[in-house]
Amino acid sequence: MADEVVLLDFWASIFGMRVRIALAEKGIKYENKEEDLWNKSPFLLQMNPIHKKIPVLIHNGKPICESLIIVQYIDEVWHDRAPLLPSDPYQRAQARFWADFIDKKIYDSGRKVWTTKGEEQEAGKKEFLDSLKTLEAELGDKPYFGGDSFGFVDIALVGFYSRFHAYETFGNFSVEAECPKLIAWAKRCMEKESVSKSLPDRKTVYEFFAQRRKKFGVE
Amino acid sequence: MGEEVKLFRGWSSPYALRIVWALKLKGVQYETIYEEVSNKSRALIEYNPIHKKVPVLVHNGKPIAESLVILEYVDEIWKQPPLLPQDPHRRAMDRFWAKFGDEKVLPSIWEAFKKQGKEQEEALSIAMENLKFLEEELKGKKLFGGEEIGLVDIALGWLANLVSVFEEIIGLQLMPEEKFPHLFAWMQVFADIPVIKESWPPRDKMVAKFQALREVHLSKEAQND
């Protein structure tokens, strides 16, 4: 019997991107259902009653929520190809640690950069860049965070690349100037079809956030 | 070659207790190094330079930080008894509940604990909304892990200790038995497990510590008014 895989998603969500990339890496066919986050479908509310958020992966009718949990699920179910997590338990723990770091540090600080101005924005910028520098140090000279192969931490982080242009414009800074190795890494990831097809165009992202900024009253 | 397992921990931290429980349940020999928040050892900072926090597990010289990450590592290295099930969907659900506990339940209970008056009422209402989800999840089960203790029991186990400490200090019920009969029953079963029972930090010290913390928070709020 064929697997039925559905993804409840939102085009600009970095969390949705993680799942898209994981599914693409494993070559899994799925149906992508775009949600309007300002008018959530009853189906989404039924599939994720606790958080009411995307992404939600629905595999043969059973929902799985939280992007990093979904990526691990995908890796465990389709374990016969393109491993996303390392096989060594210590390396796996390090991968989970860094994915957790990305969740704790990058999203909120990035959000401050596009939703605020003045002192608050400056504080957000600093935290955002400091966190990226820490990640850049962790990357070192490796081609990917996972080493020679693209993996879990790369998947956790690369979606943010689609927002860098927007953040840089609103915050008046350049990620490349501060973290050149990280940009090189992002471009390397974008050479993979699983990534380039999963990330939205940066100009479209910029325009979307520019519209949203007006609602926050910071334009 | 012998295994060398060290656990850097604080005496009262619920996060560290998770690791203690997991190691004891699996019969792992380990050394404990107690850390003071205000006077962190050089070793701790070396082992966890990013967050500089406890708990940190050091296994044969290699450090792992973040309690839920450590728990999965411990479960993968010392496989019996297993904390996570084999089935990928059940594993995903366990991870979901552990994360829900840390990101929603714990902060909301903490908020209800450190506030007062109307703000406390509102915080309490949010905390109870979160607890309701856990109550639902427990229906038909003895423990979150089913018949045996699992990752979610360990991740949420702090409830079985801190809730009564907090209730004693604030004089309010955070988890009334009538509203949360399953959670209440679970707390009794969980707390009765020998490894759990023997590992609680001293209650009088806990009450004193959190009483002092609440007073600090309340006076900060008063200053901000």
Side-chain angles (χ1 to χ4, degrees):
Chain A
M1 195 199 91
D3 274 315
E4 198 198 62
V5 183
V6 177
L7 176 62
L8 303 184
D9 200 356
F10 179 68
W11 68 275
S13 162
I14 60 104
F15 305 108
M17 285 172 221
R18 291 169 173 176
V19 183
R20 284 174 233 161
I21 295 169
L23 290 166
E25 281 286 301
K26 302 274 187 180
I28 297 161
K29 287 199 163 64
Y30 67 100
E31 185 193 342
N32 190 302
K33 283 197 164 132
E34 184 74 5
E35 283 283 332
D36 176 357
L37 298 186
W38 294 271
N39 188 18
K40 292 174 182 177
S41 73
F43 186 56
L44 169 59
L45 300 180
Q46 191 196 356
M47 291 288 108
N48 190 357
I50 294 183
H51 300 299
K52 306 175 175 54
K53 285 181 172 177
I54 59 94
V56 181
L57 189 79
I58 306 158
H59 182 205
N60 296 332
K62 295 204 278 196
I64 303 103
C65 308
E66 298 298 302
S67 61
L68 293 178
I69 293 176
I70 299 172
V71 173
Q72 287 182 87
Y73 174 82
I74 290 169
D75 202 36
E76 288 173 13
V77 172
W78 290 276
H79 54 79
D80 55 341
R81 61 193 103 152
L84 304 177
L85 276 118
S87 49
D88 170 70
Y90 185 73
Q91 295 305 324
R92 248 204 310 282
Q94 294 314 304
R96 290 182 176 128
F97 174 87
W98 286 106
D100 174 73
F101 175 86
I102 290 162
D103 264 0
K104 286 186 162 104
K105 299 283 184 183
I106 305 292
Y107 185 77
D108 286 339
S109 57
R111 197 162 196 282
K112 271 195 207 155
V113 173
W114 77 265
T115 58
T116 68
K117 54 185 179 186
E119 255 180 57
E120 221 189 321
Q121 190 189 48
E122 284 305 306
K125 248 167 77 173
K126 181 172 190 313
E127 203 193 328
F128 180 71
L129 286 169
D130 281 349
S131 305
L132 287 184
K133 284 182 190 151
T134 302
L135 286 164
E136 194 182 49
E138 172 57 23
L139 177 68
D141 290 317
K142 305 196 293 284
Y144 302 105
F145 282 93
D148 284 327
S149 8
F150 180 79
F152 194 59
V153 181
D154 306 284
I155 293 177
L157 184 60
V158 78
F160 287 100
Y161 181 62
S162 66
R163 298 190 171 187
F164 283 0
H165 172 61
Y167 291 169
E168 287 167 334
T169 314
F170 302 136
N172 191 30
F173 65 97
S174 156
V175 176
E176 187 152 20
E178 308 274 345
C179 307
K181 278 191 172 169
L182 206 62
I183 294 297
W185 160 83
K187 290 182 174 165
R188 190 175 304 126
C189 291
M190 289 293 281
E191 284 170 17
K192 294 172 69 65
E193 207 179 87
S194 62
V195 176
S196 62
K197 291 208 161 155
S198 301
L199 264 59
D201 163 66
R202 62 193 213 155
K203 271 199 79 200
T204 318
V205 171
Y206 168 75
E207 275 151 20
F208 170 73
F209 282 120
Q211 275 300 311
R212 299 278 305 139
R213 263 165 76 80
K214 290 191 186 143
K215 306 241 165 87
F216 279 93
V218 287
E219 268 300 310
Chain B
M1 195 201 92
E3 299 262 36
E4 196 198 55
V5 184
K6 292 187 189 181
L7 177 65
F8 286 77
R9 61 168 290 196
W11 70 270
S12 65
S13 158
Y15 302 110
L17 265 184
R18 295 168 172 175
I19 318 304
V20 169
W21 295 332
L23 292 171
K24 283 188 175 182
L25 282 166
K26 292 174 184 274
V28 179
Q29 299 295 326
Y30 68 99
E31 183 195 339
T32 300
I33 296 114
Y34 285 99
E35 288 279 336
E36 298 285 324
V37 172
S38 51
N39 188 19
K40 293 173 184 177
S41 72
R42 204 180 308 157
L44 173 65
I45 296 179
E46 228 179 82
Y47 285 133
N48 189 2
I50 303 292
H51 299 303
K52 304 178 178 55
K53 285 180 173 176
V54 282
V56 177
L57 188 79
V58 183
H59 184 208
N60 294 333
K62 298 199 284 192
I64 306 111
E66 291 303 303
S67 63
L68 294 181
V69 175
I70 300 172
L71 277 179
E72 291 219 30
Y73 176 80
V74 167
D75 202 37
E76 288 172 16
I77 299 287
W78 296 281
K79 297 186 197 291
Q80 295 302 326
L83 297 177
L84 273 167
Q86 293 286 353
D87 172 69
H89 189 260
R90 288 187 54 207
R91 289 163 74 86
M93 289 316 297
D94 277 11
R95 287 172 178 142
F96 175 88
W97 287 112
K99 189 168 197 240
F100 177 71
D102 276 1
E103 289 184 359
K104 300 284 181 185
V105 181
L106 204 157
S108 63
I109 290 205
W110 180 243
E111 282 296 300
F113 170 70
K114 66 178 185 171
K115 299 230 135 107
Q116 61 185 354
K118 188 149 197 304
E119 281 191 332
Q120 186 178 54
E121 265 177 53
E122 287 166 3
L124 200 53
S125 154
I126 294 174
M128 290 207 186
E129 283 299 314
N130 290 328
L131 288 173
K132 261 193 228 155
F133 287 121
L134 295 182
E135 176 72 15
E136 272 302 306
E137 180 55 23
L138 264 176
K139 288 198 173 145
K141 296 203 282 205
K142 182 172 112 180
L143 292 158
F144 285 99
E147 282 302 304
E148 300 297 329
I149 189 175
L151 183 88
V152 182
D153 300 287
I154 293 191
L156 293 172
W158 60 269
L159 284 165
N161 179 217
L162 277 181
V163 165
S164 76
V165 168
F166 286 0
E167 286 181 339
E168 185 181 316
I169 295 168
I170 65 176
L172 280 176
Q173 284 196 300
L174 289 168
M175 198 195 286
E177 188 177 355
E178 339 66 83
K179 275 199 175 150
F180 304 102
H182 293 94
L183 267 174
F184 208 82
W186 166 78
M187 288 204 303
Q188 314 303 318
V189 171
F190 181 79
D192 259 346
I193 296 169
V195 153
I196 310 298
K197 209 185 233 175
E198 74 190 28
S199 307
W200 295 128
R203 191 186 165 84
D204 50 353
K205 271 183 87 177
M206 290 290 274
V207 172
K209 169 186 166 139
F210 284 102
Q211 176 91 52
L213 270 176
R214 179 167 145 84
E215 272 155 32
V216 166
H217 280 286
L218 290 178
S219 69
K220 267 196 207 153
E221 290 288 316
Q223 276 169 32
N224 289 336
D225 280 335

